[in-house]
Amino acid sequence: MEKDKAVMVLEQAGIPFETLSLPEKHESAAALGYPAAYVGQTAVYQAGGQRVVVAISSDAKVDSGKLAAVLGADATPVSDAGAPSPFGAEEGVRVIWDARLRSAPVVVVPSGEAGTVLKMDTRHLASLEIETADIADTSGQGA
């Protein structure tokens, strides 16, 4: 079986991580018992002709105004994109992590493969160029 792109990116950068399987019938890493602020979810947007993957804590939702300000254009959600990993995006795809998720001590994020997530200590992410911005609206429920 071929390794997924996210795993290859993390291995090549020398970042220690764990691949975790989600319990049956659960689609969210929250089922593994981690605080919602540490569990990342991803969403895909289209803005100004560019595809954008956003990683945000599962207890927050994307603030469209903040995201538009970061992107310099209004962003439209892409509903059929699934939950891609915030690592190993295709060339030309912009990836933005919400500042709150990026500052969590540990994160659990989609691997890009159904039923699995990646867990890592965020201190080890310093070797990767990760665009970070305050794009969350934490006033309501998760996205």
Side-chain angles (χ1 to χ4, degrees):
M1 181 178 182
E2 184 179 321
K3 286 185 183 179
D4 69 58
K5 201 168 183 179
V7 167
M8 291 188 331
V9 166
L10 294 171
E11 286 178 346
Q12 288 174 356
I15 296 172
F17 65 94
E18 290 178 62
T19 301
L20 305 174
S21 295
L22 295 175
E24 241 180 89
K25 297 184 182 181
H26 290 280
E27 296 179 11
S28 168
L32 296 171
Y34 294 96
Y38 296 8
V39 176
Q41 60 185 347
T42 56
V44 180
Y45 289 82
Q46 192 74 29
Q50 181 180 39
R51 194 161 270 225
V52 180
V53 173
V54 172
I56 192 164
S57 297
S58 64
D59 62 348
K61 61 183 179 179
V62 175
D63 181 310
S64 58
K66 289 180 180 180
L67 182 59
V70 169
L71 298 173
D74 286 336
T76 305
V78 178
S79 61
D80 63 349
S85 177
F87 303 107
E90 295 176 16
E91 190 168 329
V93 175
R94 188 171 173 184
V95 178
I96 302 171
W97 284 56
D98 179 62
R100 186 164 156 257
L101 178 63
R102 180 63 182 86
S103 67
V106 172
V107 293
V108 180
V109 296
S111 69
E113 298 292 321
T116 62
V117 292
L118 303 171
K119 176 190 166 203
M120 68 214 62
D121 182 322
T122 55
R123 292 175 299 172
H124 299 295
L125 297 179
S127 64
L128 295 175
E129 292 182 27
I130 295 176
E131 183 176 358
T132 305
D134 176 14
I135 54 171
D137 171 1
T138 57
S139 64
Q141 307 291 343

